[in-house]
Amino acid sequence: MIPGQSVKVVVTTKPVDLRKGHDGLAAVVQKELGLDPHSGVAVVFRSKRGDRIKVLFYRDGSGIVLTCKRLEDSKFAWPAIQDGVMRLSRAQFEAFFEGLDWRRVHARRVRRPSAAE
């Protein structure tokens, strides 16, 4: 969903009014979270019910992209509601975006196959 491997993904843990658009959410990123919305960071905003998200990120210097998603039969797996943000790895974000439990995604070191030695 988000291009580039080096994109930093942060999740707001406090619900946001999802009626806001590009500019309103960029203002939240800047004023409430203390982040630069034009720095390449992807910010995930949650709804009050937990079944909807909006993802805001600045792409390749060409502009701000806003993506919305609503789960039909379930809710996203959210951390406890509190002030601030939480960082996700790209794999965790991809699982989260698909509606899976991102807390079950862990990085593992892969051993080199013995046949390659």
Side-chain angles (χ1 to χ4, degrees):
M1 203 240 61
I2 294 178
Q5 292 295 331
S6 62
V7 174
K8 178 179 166 185
V9 179
V10 295
V11 177
T12 60
T13 56
K14 198 174 188 181
V16 174
D17 182 2
L18 292 187
R19 294 177 290 181
K20 294 182 181 187
H22 294 79
D23 296 330
L25 293 175
V28 169
V29 170
Q30 193 169 26
K31 292 177 182 170
E32 293 181 24
L33 305 178
L35 300 171
D36 180 9
H38 298 94
S39 66
V41 63
V43 182
V44 180
F45 297 95
R46 70 174 287 172
S47 67
K48 207 178 260 191
R49 289 188 292 186
D51 64 339
R52 299 165 193 206
I53 62 170
K54 282 193 175 182
V55 182
L56 183 79
F57 66 99
Y58 187 70
R59 182 162 189 241
D60 302 333
S62 62
I64 293 181
V65 177
L66 181 63
T67 303
C68 308
K69 183 161 186 177
R70 177 184 70 198
L71 294 179
E72 294 295 329
D73 297 327
S74 61
K75 294 183 178 188
F76 291 97
W78 291 103
I81 294 177
Q82 58 188 8
D83 288 333
V85 295
M86 176 188 71
R87 183 150 184 205
L88 293 180
S89 70
R90 183 179 178 91
Q92 288 173 323
F93 172 75
E94 295 292 340
F96 173 82
F97 192 78
E98 292 302 320
L100 303 173
D101 189 353
W102 57 270
R103 294 169 287 204
R104 303 184 102 197
V105 176
H106 300 285
R108 289 189 190 167
R109 293 205 182 265
V110 178
R111 289 187 324 155
R112 186 178 184 160
S114 59
E117 295 175 354

